[in-house]
Amino acid sequence: MEDRIVTKRLHLRPFLLSDANAIYTLCNDIEVARTTLLIPHPYSTDAAEASILSNQAAFLNGTRYAFAIESLMDACLIGSISLIIDKQHKRAELSYWFGKAHWGQGYATEAASSIIHFGFENLQLHRIWAASMTKNINSIRVLLKMNMQYEGIFRQHILKWDDYEDVSFYGILKSEYKHTTTVDISKKLLS
């Protein structure tokens, strides 16, 4: 099983406990927390460590493939991308976040393209879906660039900081991916 992916500018790898301080720094930004479904604010190093341990266990048992995203240029942690697996139905939920300093540079598109490829080709998934708060326009743009189809809105679906938020859902099937998606993966490292 592949556990590391290298793209043109990024290195996706499993999380390490040594990532806790970087995760804390990136996730403790209120702008990052505001646009995600599950990141609280304020964020703590204890939360970062608990997340890492949970992700490591899930990676080993194949229920969640959460990758730390590093810039190849400086090996700096810039975000996270995950596939949460539903083995029974051969589907996964795609989720990701990036530190604010790394927004708008195409990293989310590059990472999403590589992990969708991983999901369909390595994990043999049938479907990958994602959810985004409707106010997170940049995330929605990434999902559309992945050729994910808009599937609807759940109105006031989540409660985030005393406000109910609408959530949009997107999905792509393996048959759609094979015909429409081009992945720029320059190198893969096998475990």
Side-chain angles (χ1 to χ4, degrees), residues 116-169:
I116 288 172
H117 177 83
F118 172 76
F120 286 136
E121 299 301 327
N122 294 72
L123 302 178
Q124 295 300 305
L125 296 173
H126 172 71
R127 170 179 158 75
I128 296 174
W129 65 276
S132 176
M133 283 187 274
T134 56
K135 69 181 181 184
N136 192 347
I137 300 301
N138 291 330
S139 184
I140 290 170
R141 285 184 183 133
V142 170
L143 300 176
L144 293 173
K145 286 179 187 177
M146 296 300 101
N147 295 314
M148 296 182 104
Q149 300 299 308
Y150 170 74
E151 296 180 338
I153 291 179
F154 284 13
R155 296 177 305 131
Q156 298 185 10
H157 188 60
I158 63 164
L159 181 62
K160 180 81 176 193
W161 303 340
D162 298 325
D163 290 321
Y164 287 98
E165 298 285 346
D166 294 345
V167 179
S168 297
F169 291 84

Side-chain angles (χ1 to χ4, degrees), residues 6-144:
V6 177
T7 69
K8 185 177 178 180
R9 299 179 297 160
L10 304 173
H11 177 208
L12 283 63
R13 59 159 176 81
F15 279 99
L16 306 169
L17 272 176
S18 58
D19 294 324
N21 284 334
I23 293 169
Y24 163 75
T25 300
L26 296 170
C27 288
N28 199 38
D29 183 329
I30 195 165
E31 293 303 313
V32 173
R34 182 184 324 276
T35 59
T36 61
L37 298 173
L38 298 175
I39 295 175
H41 191 269
Y43 198 79
S44 68
T45 54
D46 289 344
E49 290 173 2
S51 175
I52 290 167
L53 293 173
S54 173
N55 284 330
Q56 288 174 334
F59 206 108
L60 289 175
N61 69 28
T63 58
R64 180 175 57 243
Y65 293 92
F67 291 90
I69 303 170
E70 290 180 333
S71 165
L72 282 178
M73 186 173 66
D74 58 10
C76 177
L77 184 72
I78 63 171
S80 172
I81 194 161
S82 305
L83 287 176
I84 302 166
I85 307 299
D86 179 335
K87 291 180 182 180
Q88 178 182 357
H89 300 288
K90 296 184 75 172
R91 68 180 178 220
E93 178 184 2
L94 168 67
S95 64
Y96 51 87
W97 59 263
F98 286 83
K100 188 176 178 184
H102 310 288
W103 292 358
Q105 299 175 45
Y107 293 132
T109 300
E110 191 171 328
S113 180
S114 67
I115 202 165
I116 288 172
H117 177 83
F118 172 76
F120 286 136
E121 299 301 327
N122 294 72
L123 302 178
Q124 295 300 305
L125 296 173
H126 172 71
R127 170 179 158 75
I128 296 174
W129 65 276
S132 176
M133 283 187 274
T134 56
K135 69 181 181 184
N136 192 347
I137 300 301
N138 291 330
S139 184
I140 290 170
R141 285 184 183 133
V142 170
L143 300 176
L144 293 173

